[in-house]
Amino acid sequence: DAGVTQSPTHLIKTRGQQVTLRCSPKSGHDTVSWYQQALGQGPQFIFQYYEEEERQRGNFPDRFSGHQFPNYSSELNVNALLLGDSALYLCASSDSGRADTQYFGPGTRLTVL
Amino acid sequence: AQSVTQLDSQVPVFEEAPVELRCNYSSSVSVYLFWYVQYPNQGLQLLLKYLSGSTLVKGINGFEAEFNKSQTSFHLRKPSVHISDTAEYFCAVSDWGGSNYKLTFGKGTLLTVNP
């Protein structure tokens, strides 16, 4: 049984560019949440997708957007990249959004130069 | 709004010594509580969770935590640590009930186990 997978593993972009990160949830899970983990910090909630809609959002600007597909996989898009967007982006999947069953992927390391 | 405070940013210990990593939370409603571990260059792995019932929760790798509602704490303990326990540990909280499904994390505690 595959766990949560994310791609790519690492990514380097320059300021002003756009980036798309991808996540496939654990088998049987229908909800995907995205978190940003800056260096030396705990993960911060970006948003959650359930039934192809954004159900809840954290304190992130509109430059951060997402999408969920019918197969429950998800994308995180970040436009107009800033240096401060450099972080580890973690995807977590769960069953119907239950916080007690969130499983995390290995993350995508984004570096903005 | 919820918040989590991990009282120690770094905890160095010697191998086979006991360890306690401290976590306090703030919330206006009842909560679920979690401890996650993150090894270098990896994602988060769930160590244990408190949802309800017994306040002493046992997790993987010999870790346990005790929920103390009056002190709003959820400290993580292990009686004897190994070199392999060296990692970053995160305490997290989530509201139960309602529509709040997100996890709110503390800033983490780096546990370093020395030989």
Side-chain angles (χ1 to χ4, degrees):
Chain A
D1 174 25
V4 179
T5 59
Q6 294 186 241
S7 63
T9 305
H10 296 86
L11 207 49
I12 299 175
K13 293 286 188 178
T14 56
R15 282 177 296 175
Q17 285 190 311
Q18 179 264 342
V19 68
T20 297
L21 311 181
R22 294 175 177 83
C23 172
S24 291
K26 181 179 169 65
S27 178
H29 286 180
D30 57 9
T31 306
V32 172
S33 302
W34 287 92
Y35 292 81
Q36 181 196 65
Q37 186 180 15
L39 199 61
Q41 300 294 317
Q44 284 196 294
F45 176 77
I46 302 174
F47 43 53
Q48 183 182 85
Y49 277 84
Y50 173 67
E51 293 188 342
E52 302 180 50
E53 291 192 357
E54 183 183 292
R55 179 157 64 175
Q56 192 176 14
R57 189 179 183 92
N59 294 326
F60 280 81
D62 292 344
R63 298 186 297 108
F64 290 77
S65 64
H67 187 77
Q68 185 178 35
F69 299 94
N71 67 351
Y72 308 125
S73 67
S74 176
E75 290 182 347
L76 164 65
N77 301 292
V78 187
N79 294 322
L81 285 167
L82 304 173
L83 295 179
D85 295 332
S86 294
L88 180 68
Y89 288 85
L90 295 164
C91 169
S93 75
S94 58
D95 177 16
S96 299
R98 289 174 54 189
D100 61 319
T101 60
Q102 288 200 19
Y103 291 83
F104 284 80
T108 293
R109 174 73 62 187
L110 172 64
T111 302
V112 182
L113 302 176
Chain B
Q2 303 162 313
S3 66
V4 176
T5 302
Q6 291 185 242
L7 297 160
D8 306 294
S9 59
Q10 297 186 51
V11 174
V13 295
F14 288 108
E15 194 174 17
E16 297 183 5
V19 70
E20 178 180 81
L21 306 184
R22 298 180 293 168
C23 171
N24 286 90
Y25 69 92
S26 173
S27 176
S28 58
V29 298
S30 296
V31 296
Y32 294 145
L33 292 158
F34 308 83
W35 276 98
Y36 283 86
V37 61
Q38 186 175 38
Y39 298 101
N41 301 313
Q42 294 188 27
L44 301 176
Q45 180 183 4
L46 180 66
L47 273 178
L48 50 76
K49 59 186 178 184
Y50 172 78
L51 305 181
S52 64
S54 173
T55 57
L56 183 62
V57 180
K58 294 190 183 296
I60 62 171
N61 302 339
F63 284 94
E64 64 181 32
E66 186 156 18
F67 170 56
N68 188 319
K69 187 175 182 179
S70 63
Q71 297 187 8
T72 60
S73 68
F74 190 55
H75 301 332
L76 181 70
R77 302 186 183 99
K78 186 170 183 177
S80 177
V81 295
H82 303 289
I83 298 287
S84 60
D85 292 323
T86 294
E88 188 91 31
Y89 291 80
F90 293 96
C91 181
V93 64
S94 178
D95 287 349
W96 63 264
S99 60
N100 190 338
Y101 302 95
K102 70 176 185 180
L103 291 170
T104 300
F105 288 86
K107 292 187 176 182
T109 298
L110 177 61
L111 173 65
T112 303
V113 182
N114 299 300

